[in-house]
Amino acid sequence: DFNNVLDSQLTRLTRVRTITADTTLTQDDCGKTILVDPASTTLITLPAITTVDVGWNVRVILHEGAAGADQGMGQKVNFDLGSGTNLANVGKIIGNDGDAGDLAVANDDFIACTANASAGDRFDFFSDGNRWFIEGFVQDASECPFAQAAG
């Protein structure tokens, strides 16, 4: 019902973590909103799938320290979804600019956001205990594709 949804969103908003450098997320990050303001090329590693509870989830939003700009991140941000383990992750990244978007395929163990990614690009990660499910909403999907290696 509406009150449960509202409570869930308010809880998420009170659990915010800011990241500026390489970071490995943990079980404790479940339910948090992670703001990424990279000082240099940054690798965000999701926890090993075997170490998180079923239902582990996190929302990650790229941002700049100042007002956001299209293609203005200035630094690369990579997400490691379990590199080398071929988890058969399931996901899609939808671009606001009307491009075709991107789907995760076998061996896509990364999302590789270029320095031309945009503030406000967002990714939701969810685990069923066997793989990651990812939904991304970005300005330009070609700037944040699924990949077999970090960018």
Side-chain angles (χ1 to χ4, degrees):
D1 79 351
F2 177 76
N3 287 331
N4 287 340
V5 171
L6 182 59
D7 287 346
S8 175
Q9 290 302 319
L10 290 174
T11 298
R12 180 185 291 273
L13 292 173
T14 61
R15 295 186 42 139
V16 176
R17 178 178 179 189
T18 300
I19 293 173
T20 60
D22 293 352
T23 301
T24 299
L25 301 179
T26 67
Q27 176 69 31
D28 186 54
D29 289 311
C30 179
K32 289 183 180 178
T33 298
I34 309 294
L35 302 175
V36 181
D37 184 8
S40 61
T41 296
T42 298
L43 176 66
I44 299 170
T45 304
L46 271 64
I49 203 79
T50 56
T51 67
V52 296
D53 295 334
V54 172
W56 189 95
N57 67 89
V58 69
R59 172 172 285 167
V60 180
I61 302 171
L62 304 184
H63 80 94
E64 301 169 301
D70 183 22
Q71 296 187 328
M73 285 306 297
Q75 301 292 336
K76 295 178 181 179
V77 176
N78 292 286
F79 297 93
D80 184 339
L81 310 172
S83 57
T85 58
N86 190 17
L87 298 172
N89 298 308
V90 176
K92 64 182 174 185
I93 298 173
I94 300 168
N96 185 52
D97 65 350
D99 61 15
D102 194 21
L103 293 175
V105 298
N107 299 317
D108 278 348
D109 290 337
F110 289 87
I111 297 173
C113 297
T114 73
N116 284 328
S118 300
D121 288 353
R122 184 188 90 200
F123 304 90
D124 292 313
F125 299 92
F126 172 83
S127 169
D128 69 351
N130 297 305
R131 67 188 47 83
W132 292 111
F133 292 85
I134 305 103
E135 189 170 51
F137 297 98
V138 300
Q139 176 59 24
D140 183 341
S142 70
E143 299 297 346
C144 294
F146 287 102
Q148 294 182 7

